[in-house]
Every structure is written in structure tokens, then in C-alpha cells.
Amino acid sequence: MKLRLAIAALLLAAGLITQVAVAEDIDGVQEHPLISRYPGQEIRWQHIENYLPYRVPVGPVTGYRAIGDWIDTEGRVTRTFYRYQGTDRTYSEIYKNYLDSLEAEDFEILAKGISADRRGGDVGSNQWMEVMFRQNPANKPGEVGTMFSGTSSSGGAGSIVARKERAAGIVYALVNVEQHSSNYVGTLIDIIEVEAAETGLVAVDAEAIGADILEYGRVVLDGIYFDHDKATLKPESDEALKAIVEFLATQPDKVFYVVGHTDSVGTFSYNQKLSSDRAMAVVDTLQRDYGVGSERLQPHGVGPLVPSYSNASDAGRAKNRRVELVERLK
């Protein structure tokens, strides 16, 4: 569900609107499908880059033009500036509805803050926004410039930094809202869609396996690859297999399940057998080629029964085709 629906629903439930106003946008803009406007907002500026580094601030100002905590990322960046014209809504109402909607859509809120006077160095303050925009400048001119220029009737401001893990990859959302004047609320929404690593370049290591086993009791074995629709391991799997062996050597008294998973394309019986065969292929290879004891690993296949993501998209199905190592009690 798009966030526009969540925002509208919240407003309707509160009795604040009876219908969503039709906005008049500038030409040539296209609203991002992930996060949509507060009812009545107009798109007045937009800049999209297919690939761009972006610094995501997740802490307060800690010094002169400095924020202490950042997440450095890169990917497709969509920056959209909205204007709300009128005196019937305030920056705090718009801020609250975006925050509620992000939380309702299971975004992880990394940082947030709202300030009536914009003073100090907390998230959402003038200082914080200034540092954030210096690191991620709006290089394309336009009405977004109002975010950096006050008026005689300027009011408060607020910022939200959020993250969500999707089948297609991690996405960051930054929402900055400011009361530019008594009848003008500006909102800049930045969406950063992190590019996934190229297939075959990422594999688990022993440390990552141990950390996930300790916290979750299971770990997805990234870097295990099979021929299409077969249980034949590809040579590219060697790095991940070596990492598994290294981890097992650090835990000589523990035993594990090796669990195969598939997407939901095809019949259940076919997928269950394929997942079982793939789990067995991993175990056989570890025993035959790497000397892992037969008592350490027990293969099982669960087919499409435990998806990580929706099978409705290619990205979701790709994530669901996986092999996991699961701790087994003796």
C-alpha cells in the first residue's frame, strides 16, 4: 500500500479532510510510488539521478558544521519538493502524518526530530538541516531553495530519517518539513534506493555466519549458487562453502540443519524436492570436498513454505530461493 493511502486514511479518520485536493504540479515531474504527498501538496521541484552517492545523517550535530553519525550509501536518488499553500495546516501536522505513515509501513525510524524554534543541534534543527544539505546539495535550481531562506513569518521544522529492507534492496527515506511562512509549508522528500551488489560478488564470511547464528539461530548462506532448476552447485559457490567450513571449525560442538528454500513458481511437490536436493547437495559437497563430519549437518527442504518476501515480484522470488544454516540442539 502506498503511503498516500495511509496518509489519507489517517486524515480521514481524524476528520481533518473530506476529500483529497487535486494538486497542480510543475511540468515533467513524476511522483515516486513509495512515498506520496500529503493531501493538498503540489510538487514544485524534482531531481532524479539514476546513480548518486548519498550521506544519510542518523545523529545530531556534534560540532561546527558536523554531524557525528552518518550512513554512506549510493543508488538511485529521487528528490521531490512539495509546497502546501494555505493556513489550515501546519508543519507539525504534516510532519506527524508522514511519521505515522512511515511507521505504519514498517519503516525503521533511524532519526527524527521536530522543533518550534529550530534552535540547537538536534535532528530537524536549522543547524542539522544545514549540515545535511551541505553533504547532499540540491544542485538543480528551483523552488526547493525556499528550504534555505527564511521569511518574517517562518515557523518550526522537523526531519525524519527512515529505512526499509525490501526484496529489491534497502531504501532510505528522508523527510524534511518546514513552516516557510504563515501560509506556506515546504516538504523535501529524498528517496535513496540502494543498488544491490552484482550477483556472484557477495558471499557470507565466517564472522557474519557466527553473528547471525548467535542472534537469530539461523543465517542465509549468500553466495551459494545452483544451475537453473537444478541441484548442481556452481563453482562460484566455493567462497561461501569455505566460509561455512571456517565457521564450523570455530564451533566444533555444535550441529546444524542445512535448509533449502524455493519460490512458489511450480507445484509444491516439485519445489519441495528441489529444495531438499539442493540442501543435500550442499551437505554432500561439504562432507566430500571439505571433510566436514557427517554428524554435523542434516539436510532438509521446505520448498516455498517459509518465504522471506512476497513471491509476486521477480526480486521477491529471487530472495526466496536460498539455503540457510539453522542451529540444531543435540
Side-chain angles (χ1 to χ4, degrees):
M1 181 179 70
K2 295 180 180 179
L3 284 182
R4 80 170 72 213
L5 300 178
I7 291 171
L10 286 167
L11 291 172
L12 286 167
L16 296 177
I17 59 170
T18 56
Q19 59 182 0
V20 177
V22 177
E24 296 181 5
D25 301 334
I26 59 173
D27 293 336
V29 296
Q30 183 174 2
E31 194 158 39
H32 195 285
L34 184 69
I35 301 177
S36 301
R37 73 190 73 191
Y38 182 96
Q41 286 180 326
E42 301 171 345
I43 298 178
R44 306 305 303 166
W45 176 91
Q46 188 175 68
H47 187 202
I48 300 173
E49 290 279 355
N50 282 328
Y51 177 81
L52 192 71
Y54 194 102
R55 302 202 75 195
V56 179
V58 292
V61 174
T62 56
Y64 179 68
R65 292 182 177 175
I67 289 174
D69 295 317
W70 298 88
I71 296 174
D72 290 299
T73 188
E74 55 196 20
R76 179 180 172 86
V77 178
T78 302
R79 313 189 76 177
T80 308
F81 177 76
Y82 298 87
R83 176 182 68 190
Y84 188 93
Q85 199 93 41
T87 58
D88 56 332
R89 297 288 179 266
T90 65
Y91 79 98
S92 59
E93 293 175 83
I94 294 176
Y95 168 93
K96 181 65 164 57
N97 275 276
Y98 275 113
L99 178 60
D100 289 347
S101 298
L102 286 164
E103 291 177 333
E105 291 296 312
D106 294 325
F107 275 79
E108 176 188 3
I109 306 302
L110 302 177
K112 63 179 180 179
I114 187 168
S115 172
D117 59 15
R118 308 196 198 190
R119 295 177 181 175
D122 290 335
V123 177
S125 67
N126 266 350
Q127 285 190 62
W128 189 88
M129 286 190 182
E130 179 183 354
V131 177
M132 193 274 285
F133 290 130
R134 281 182 179 274
Q135 294 295 321
N136 305 291
N139 294 321
K140 178 182 175 182
E143 197 167 333
V144 68
T146 60
M147 296 289 291
F148 319 107
S149 60
T151 69
S152 59
S153 57
S154 291
S159 298
I160 307 163
V161 182
R163 173 176 59 194
K164 185 173 184 177
E165 184 173 348
R166 308 173 300 163
I170 292 173
V171 61
Y172 292 92
L174 285 82
V175 179
N176 293 284
V177 182
E178 66 116 16
Q179 188 80 45
H180 184 64
S181 65
S182 59
N183 66 343
Y184 182 158
V185 179
T187 302
L188 176 62
I189 298 179
D190 291 350
I191 297 173
I192 306 95
E193 297 169 273
V194 179
E195 292 190 343
E198 295 179 42
T199 299
L201 297 183
V202 177
V204 293
D205 57 30
E207 184 178 352
I209 292 174
D212 277 9
I213 289 290
L214 180 63
E215 184 171 359
Y216 305 112
R218 52 178 283 275
V219 61
V220 177
L221 299 173
D222 293 319
I224 298 290
Y225 303 106
F226 297 92
D227 288 340
H228 178 66
D229 254 3
K230 295 180 181 179
T232 306
L233 278 167
K234 291 186 174 182
E236 302 95 281
S237 304
D238 287 350
E239 184 179 349
L241 292 169
K242 291 175 183 176
I244 297 168
V245 174
E246 183 181 347
F247 165 72
L248 291 174
T250 68
Q251 305 290 329
D253 297 327
K254 290 188 175 182
V255 293
F256 300 88
Y257 297 110
V258 175
V259 184
H261 299 258
T262 68
D263 59 30
S264 62
V265 177
T267 66
F268 173 79
S269 59
Y270 177 85
N271 283 319
Q272 199 281 327
K273 184 178 186 306
L274 178 63
S275 66
S276 181
D277 289 346
R278 286 181 168 180
M280 179 62 77
V282 172
V283 171
D284 285 347
T285 302
L286 289 171
Q287 292 176 351
R288 181 185 66 248
D289 297 345
Y290 296 91
V292 175
S294 59
E295 76 285 353
R296 300 292 308 277
L297 303 175
Q298 191 177 109
H300 290 278
V302 296
L305 291 179
V306 192
S308 292
Y309 296 90
S310 168
N311 280 293
S313 68
D314 289 339
R317 289 190 291 272
K319 289 286 189 179
N320 290 334
R321 298 189 294 269
R322 67 198 190 276
V323 176
E324 296 184 349
L325 192 66
V326 179
E327 187 172 0
R328 174 167 58 99
L329 298 180
K330 290 185 177 180

